[in-house]
Amino acid sequence: MHPHSAVLILGLGSWGQTLSYLFRQQGCTVRLWGRSQGALGKDLLDNIDLLVSALPIKAVREVAQKVAALQPSPDVILVSATKGLEAETVSTAADIWQTYCPDQALVVLSGPNLAAEIQQGLPAAAVVGGQATATKQVQDLLGSATFRLYSNEDRRGVEMGGIFKNVIAIACGVNDGLGLGVNARSALITRGLVEMVRVGCHWGGEVATFYGLSGLGDLLATCTSSLSRNYQVGWHLGQGKSLPQALELTHGTAEGVNTALVLYRYAQHHGLEIPITAMVAAVLQEQLTPQAALTHLLERPFKPETTPC
């Protein structure tokens, strides 16, 4: 694979546009397709080296079915850049792609990547999770001096870190919307990481992965920046807005809204304790006010800081 490789990016949102910018910076030929453009034609898949999915989770299954029907070359590497869970099946985007395109080498791209900063040319880092040969090819093609790309063979953990951080970002946005301060937000991030490790290890990820770019790294970015859509939703909720109002005031898809409910149901089913996620789910379902939810967290019994996964 060389710098003049061809890349097809599925998804016209801010992340898809940002990835297009990054690949073009590296000299790649980039094709972009979104659902608003009509049918996905076979010609778009001809002679490509990478197929990058930057779709919202709710669109992944439908598009994956269409791609599979077009029978892409087995040499095409599939890169999943979606950070969400399918509500009906509790499947990740990579799970869905693997179901429909089992012959493709599949990797996950994740990390603390706020699109607006990357499009300004500011430095960032990310991680590609998957089999070593495929991740190395993506590293060589997408990595640059301003977009430092690491690899990790724990694809499951890399993907789960990027998924879970959205929920904690909502909690931190609520905290800041209520004006509860940096100390409380730092506690939410730290204890949110515990919940990420607990669920992520149960999901099949490795502990060390969650202390890397897709876990702790993405937590720090999305839980502290107003550029994060999930943080924005939480902030509006903390300011007293309803969920429909918060979503209307937030540009783009905030995957954490759906993810919080899915993860909470998953944790209940498997007996996993994730109190911050539970409170986010309660606020989103209007079972508790934001203030009541944070008060409930503060009133939990004292316990040792270090607890088993």
Side-chain angles (χ1 to χ4, degrees), residues 79-94:
V79 181
S80 177
T82 301
K83 299 177 178 180
L85 287 171
E86 189 176 54
E88 300 80 11
T89 65
V90 199
S91 297
T92 70

Side-chain angles (χ1 to χ4, degrees), residues 164 167-168 171 195 259-261 263-265 267-268 272-285 287-288 293 296-297 300:
F164 209 106
V167 179
I168 308 305
E195 296 188 17
T259 300
L261 306 178
L263 281 174
Y264 176 57
R265 290 195 296 268
Q268 278 190 310
L272 301 173
E273 187 179 21
I274 50 172
I276 297 173
T277 302
M279 290 302 99
V280 171
V283 170
L284 293 173
Q285 295 176 99
Q287 296 170 346
L288 289 174
H296 182 82
L297 286 174
R300 283 169 47 80

Side-chain angles (χ1 to χ4, degrees), residues 15 121 170 241 287 301:
W15 191 220
I170 293 175
K241 301 291 194 298
Q287 296 170 346

Side-chain angles (χ1 to χ4, degrees), residues 134-152:
T135 58
K136 179 64 165 62
Q137 289 180 283
V138 177
Q139 273 183 301
D140 291 344
L141 198 57
L142 182 59
S144 69
T146 56
F147 193 66
R148 185 165 178 81
L149 208 51
Y150 293 81
S151 63
N152 188 330

